[in-house]
Amino acid sequence: MSSIPLPAALQRDDHVAMEQKANRRKRMSRWFSILCVIIAFLSVVVLVVLLVSISIQGSSRLSTDLLSNAHSELHPEQAGMWPAIVGTLFVCGVCALGSLPLGIGTAVFLEEFRPRKLELRWLRHRFPDQSKTWDKLASGLYKSIRGFHSFIQLNISNLAGVPSIVYGLLGLSLFVYMFNVFGQIKVNEASGWEIAGAQHYYQVLSLESGQVVLIPQTDRTQSTLTVESPTTGVTPDGKTYEVGVWEPGSPKPTDPSVRRRTVRKGAKGGVFTDRAWYYFRLPFDRSFLAAGLTLALVILPVVIIASQEALRAVPPSMREASLGLGATTWQTTRDVCLPAAIPGIMTGAILSMGRAIGEAAPLLVIMGAAIAKSTGPQHLMDDAVTMPVLIYNWAGRQQAVYQELAAAAIIVLLIVLLLMNSVAIYLRERLSHV
Amino acid sequence: MSQPAALRNRRFRSTSTAVYSERFVVMMLASCATITVLITAGIIYMLITESWHFFTSDYVNFKQFLTGSEWSALQAKDIKDAEFGIWPLLSGTLRVTMIAMLISLPLGLITAIYLSEFASRRIRGILKPTLEVIAGIPTVVLGYFAVLVISPSLQWVSSGGFDTFNATSAGIAVGILCLPMVCSLSEDALHAVPNALREGAYGLGCTPFETSIKVVVPAALSGIISAFLLAFSRAIGETMVVALAAGTRATATLDPREQSQTMTGFIVEMIKSENEFGTVQYYSLYGVAITLFVITFGMTLLGQLIRRRYRESYE
């Protein structure tokens, strides 16, 4: 084996030491890859521990009661999460309606209407004034449009890093109080303008026990009414009638229908408000509408970034073909780019909605941590309970029964999220191969 | 729109309609984009005007706010006794965040290296969905997990050395939360390193370990650092985990076994309390929020700066 003599410089090196060094390096590499495997599978272990511990804790409370009942302080063993499920649906519906059009529009603007050199050339062609100032003006205009694009891009990356509780505070100022434009913020009292759907009455006890007459309120600042003389009352379906007054001492009317329409002289009534489902007021106050719009702000950056990536993945050759046939940029976007990007946009939308469903911090700020509500929202300005807020409230209590309920509610929430994520994955697989 | 000479003197209705609708659409889309700017402006306006009420109040001193080591906005019965010094909240936040970073940064980076350099297709097929599922878990669930599992097991290990609500269990849960984010962003950065660099390293006789640590990771460093900064700002702003698991006493210690109220935890506690709108205690939440915002905004900007300035581009 003495075919090629080693150079003198290498002959001096110690073969044994070289081999040891090589072995050490190989051993190091092997240890590192073992460490990698252990650490990488740590995440699997964590996930398994999480799921197992929660399902052990919550399995005893998983029943139809949980799905159909409302929270109850007196009978915690029968408490359920139906209002929270409905509330989550409403809040996330508003969130989707708010964030998806806005987010996809912004993504289209940033990706498809990116200023190109073409426009600068068109400007020069359109106004063939060769003077230096014009040239400077045109390129300045072009640069400022480009600057606008990159500024918005930077802004979106920054918005994605803002903590969600700060968005909650923004929603509190913007949607709940509307920066106080509609008057001084009052505690425990609604301020602002009621626009539609509200009827205010005074409720006065009639002579028939357990029955009341409704008298329309004329002055909103007066919260009680004392009946001294006959006035007009209203039936619940809007018909007016004369309310009689009974002087104590004189004989009471005997006919029940008359008694029902007669009140004692000097009887006092408090305000009662009847709200139709389309009840609308400004500012929104602590309503599910305000909460949904705030959540829309939280997930807006996520929607924009996902849609941008989907649009970027559309091959430029398709755009060029469409533009080459004489379509305008918007026609190209509408008929070529958006249809091709739909799977990606849908996936991003579903994943961001999953995030919205699990978000609790901004909702705590907007609607508070109270969960005593037995139904979903009854009108547009009604408040709501959502699943994460319910879980937060239950998990923070000391009693074991509420801890178990929290775990059971978490199982329901995770099943919903898992279903949504698998729909997203299915869509991505199915639509991207068409 | 420039037209060929043959068409120049003819008016096509469809063309001019398209031109007008094009202008309209661009206006609409640009206004969508402008709304994102307005949101930022709204956040800044809201934080400044509302915290103005706090900083100009008689009971608050800006210098004391920055340096004071006692925070008793909710504990004090009388407003005169309340102390507003941000340090206890800041140190609580930093304690939780540091523990979270100690867990998520090394583990996330090593998992990312493993996924991009070593893992076979089958293992990727297990690990990737697992990380996606962890990333999709609502934070309130992780907070419950911290209370239910992490905190009792810490107490069991240390035989009662930890409080029921402590910084460590919250930090571990936040770390679990940040792990998928660190991992996927770092993996993207590692993935962008061209194969020629790896092949060069192997050609010079490097082992896989040396290739990934000495060649690939340094080449992707700017992306990795900006992923770290993003995870850091996410951990600082994390709310539900700390609201459930970190406790409600603002203390200025460095002991991770004790309760620690974070800035976000204070905001939640304040919202839940009975303090009415317009009191100094109420406005103090905006003072905390503006501090939080400045920190996270700075982190994001720093991350983008690093990404832009130090990005190695391989074309």
Side-chain angles (χ1 to χ4, degrees):
Chain A
M1 288 295 288
S2 60
S3 54
I4 310 167
L6 276 169
L10 292 182
Q11 268 172 355
R12 283 202 302 272
D13 219 328
D14 186 354
H15 283 261
V16 184
M18 286 265 287
E19 211 167 297
Q20 273 177 352
K21 202 174 162 196
N23 280 339
R24 209 171 56 234
R25 286 169 53 211
K26 275 182 199 157
R27 250 200 327 274
M28 186 84 180
S29 188
R30 206 157 43 241
W31 279 115
F32 180 70
S33 59
I34 291 171
L35 179 79
C36 274
V37 174
I38 293 171
I39 286 178
F41 277 89
L42 218 67
S43 58
V44 181
V45 172
V46 165
L47 186 65
V48 169
V49 169
L50 191 149
L51 294 180
V52 167
S53 61
I54 285 176
S55 46
I56 288 175
Q57 179 88 354
S59 55
S60 60
R61 296 281 158 198
L62 268 183
S63 61
T64 47
D65 267 2
L66 182 77
L67 290 180
S68 60
N69 287 3
H71 166 76
S72 144
E73 296 283 348
L74 295 176
H75 305 286
E77 55 286 341
Q78 286 166 15
M81 56 188 300
W82 174 245
I85 295 174
V86 179
T88 303
L89 221 67
F90 273 85
V91 170
C92 290
V94 172
C95 170
L97 287 180
S99 67
L100 295 186
L102 206 59
I104 295 172
T106 307
V108 167
F109 177 73
L110 287 177
E111 282 305 307
E112 303 294 325
F113 293 86
R114 200 176 274 281
R116 287 181 286 255
K117 282 278 183 218
L118 202 78
E119 272 121 40
L120 184 58
R121 234 186 298 148
W122 172 74
L123 270 175
R124 286 189 180 142
H125 175 83
R126 185 72 189 268
F127 306 100
D129 181 4
Q130 292 301 323
S131 69
K132 269 240 168 79
T133 42
W134 164 246
D135 217 46
K136 258 188 198 155
L137 204 70
S139 49
L141 191 69
Y142 170 73
K143 264 185 200 148
S144 65
I145 296 172
R146 265 178 76 116
F148 182 59
H149 268 74
S150 56
F151 175 66
I152 288 178
Q153 191 68 64
L154 179 79
N155 189 40
I156 287 165
S157 330
N158 272 326
L159 280 180
V162 175
S164 59
I165 197 149
V166 174
Y167 279 106
L169 292 174
L170 174 68
L172 190 72
S173 304
L174 180 58
F175 299 121
V176 177
Y177 298 135
M178 300 220 159
F179 291 123
N180 220 350
V181 170
F182 295 93
Q184 213 57 41
I185 292 172
K186 293 167 193 150
V187 180
N188 296 330
E189 192 185 329
S191 65
W193 301 346
E194 290 182 315
I195 289 172
Q199 285 292 330
H200 304 283
Y201 304 107
Y202 295 111
Q203 257 179 333
V204 189
L205 272 175
S206 70
L207 292 181
E208 191 80 17
S209 63
Q211 300 284 331
V212 292
V213 294
L214 300 176
I215 299 166
Q217 186 188 28
T218 45
D219 183 9
R220 284 289 283 124
T221 55
Q222 206 176 352
S223 59
T224 54
L225 173 82
T226 311
V227 184
E228 295 294 349
S229 57
T231 51
T232 39
V234 191
T235 56
D237 49 356
K239 293 192 188 101
T240 55
Y241 59 86
E242 188 78 5
V243 176
V245 172
W246 171 66
E247 194 92 33
S250 59
K252 271 190 186 179
T254 46
D255 184 13
S257 64
V258 177
R259 283 165 68 99
R260 211 175 291 147
R261 296 177 169 204
T262 311
V263 298
R264 184 196 175 94
K265 185 170 182 183
K268 285 196 168 152
V271 178
F272 159 78
T273 305
D274 184 28
R275 296 186 173 92
W277 69 267
Y278 54 85
Y279 171 60
F280 192 81
R281 66 189 300 278
L282 285 175
F284 292 159
D285 219 40
R286 298 182 179 277
S287 61
F288 79 91
L289 211 59
L293 290 174
T294 307
L295 272 193
L297 299 187
V298 175
I299 65 165
L300 187 66
V302 187
V303 176
I304 294 173
I305 291 167
S307 313
Q308 268 187 304
E309 262 159 30
L311 285 170
R312 225 174 278 156
V314 176
S317 59
M318 286 170 71
R319 265 180 218 121
E320 282 153 15
S322 169
L323 291 173
L325 285 172
T328 62
T329 317
W330 169 238
Q331 285 164 344
T332 307
T333 308
R334 190 186 56 200
D335 297 329
V336 177
C337 301
L338 277 180
I342 273 206
I345 293 177
M346 291 266 272
T347 319
I350 293 172
L351 290 180
S352 56
M353 284 316 292
R355 184 156 167 217
I357 286 180
E359 195 71 71
L363 298 183
L364 280 181
V365 179
I366 299 288
M367 297 195 293
I371 53 169
K373 204 167 160 56
S374 55
T375 54
Q378 298 294 305
H379 50 82
L380 281 182
M381 294 295 133
D382 207 355
D383 57 352
V385 181
T386 63
M387 288 198 265
V389 172
L390 184 75
I391 291 168
Y392 168 71
N393 196 319
W394 279 349
R397 289 170 187 237
Q398 295 297 320
Q399 300 99 309
V401 63
Y402 281 116
Q403 296 274 330
E404 287 166 17
L405 279 170
I410 285 173
I411 295 173
V412 175
L413 178 63
L414 285 184
I415 288 174
V416 172
L417 285 177
L418 216 64
L419 278 180
M420 280 183 66
N421 281 4
S422 29
V423 168
I425 291 166
Y426 175 77
L427 278 177
R428 187 167 55 192
E429 294 300 312
R430 179 73 195 275
L431 292 176
S432 57
H433 293 308
V434 171
Chain B
M1 194 143 306
S2 87
Q3 287 176 333
L7 299 180
R8 202 157 291 160
N9 291 327
R10 299 171 64 176
R11 306 286 302 167
F12 290 103
R13 202 168 148 265
S14 61
T15 312
S16 46
T17 316
V19 168
Y20 281 118
S21 75
E22 178 94 358
R23 267 182 216 158
F24 176 70
V25 163
V26 173
M27 295 282 272
M28 289 295 294
L29 295 176
S31 60
C32 278
T34 315
I35 286 176
T36 65
V37 180
L38 290 182
I39 292 171
T40 317
I43 290 176
I44 293 170
Y45 171 80
M46 175 269 299
L47 285 175
I48 288 176
T49 51
E50 301 283 310
S51 62
W52 186 254
H53 294 294
F54 173 67
F55 289 123
T56 54
S57 121
D58 296 340
Y59 305 100
V60 184
N61 175 338
F62 187 69
K63 206 176 139 207
Q64 206 197 350
F65 176 77
L66 288 182
T67 55
S69 63
E70 204 168 332
W71 183 273
S72 57
L74 288 176
Q75 285 81 3
K77 290 262 184 326
D78 194 4
I79 177 67
K80 288 195 190 71
D81 307 332
E83 296 278 341
F84 298 99
I86 193 73
W87 272 105
L89 294 182
L90 207 58
S91 85
T93 307
L94 289 181
R95 249 176 295 161
V96 171
T97 310
M98 282 307 152
I99 295 162
M101 292 298 103
L102 279 180
I103 288 169
S104 67
L105 299 189
L107 298 194
L109 182 59
I110 289 178
T111 311
I113 292 173
Y114 181 65
L115 277 176
S116 85
E117 306 293 317
F118 296 100
S120 63
R121 276 182 73 99
R122 248 187 52 217
I123 292 177
R124 279 180 71 93
I126 302 171
L127 275 182
K128 275 272 203 179
T130 311
L131 288 170
E132 275 173 23
V133 170
I134 292 181
I137 288 178
T139 54
V140 67
V141 176
L142 281 170
Y144 179 77
F145 180 65
V147 175
L148 177 76
V149 177
I150 301 175
S151 178
S153 43
L154 280 176
Q155 277 174 331
W156 181 69
V157 167
S158 67
S159 56
F162 284 83
D163 288 357
T164 319
F165 299 105
N166 59 66
T168 312
S169 59
I172 292 173
V174 176
I176 294 172
L177 182 95
C178 293
L179 182 91
M181 187 176 160
V182 175
C183 182
S184 73
L185 289 176
S186 315
E187 205 208 337
D188 285 347
L190 292 174
H191 200 75
V193 174
N195 260 334
L197 283 181
R198 291 189 188 93
E199 281 153 13
Y202 283 125
L204 287 172
C206 286
T207 60
F209 168 68
E210 287 161 347
T211 310
S212 43
I213 296 298
K214 293 184 181 163
V215 178
V216 180
V217 170
L221 203 60
S222 72
I224 291 172
I225 288 177
S226 67
F228 282 8
L229 287 174
L230 230 67
F232 192 75
S233 72
R234 173 95 197 262
I236 284 183
E238 178 41 49
T239 308
M240 296 322 290
V241 174
V242 294
L244 274 169
T248 52
R249 207 175 60 235
T251 46
T253 63
L254 286 173
D255 188 354
R257 292 170 305 177
E258 277 187 34
Q259 287 205 22
S260 72
Q261 188 167 42
T262 66
M263 292 191 277
T264 51
F266 171 74
I267 294 176
V268 171
E269 208 51 39
M270 182 70 227
I271 294 287
K272 276 170 67 185
S273 75
E274 311 258 294
N275 280 289
E276 288 181 344
F277 183 88
T279 58
V280 181
Q281 284 99 325
Y282 181 88
Y283 284 126
S284 74
L285 95 86
Y286 288 95
V288 173
I290 198 168
T291 317
L292 182 66
F293 179 76
V294 167
I295 295 174
T296 52
F297 204 71
M299 284 292 159
T300 325
L301 276 180
L302 189 67
Q304 270 156 8
L305 208 74
I306 288 175
R307 220 188 161 80
R308 280 192 184 179
R309 178 141 322 160
Y310 298 103
R311 183 167 52 192
E312 319 255 346
S313 75
Y314 308 100
E315 292 288 339

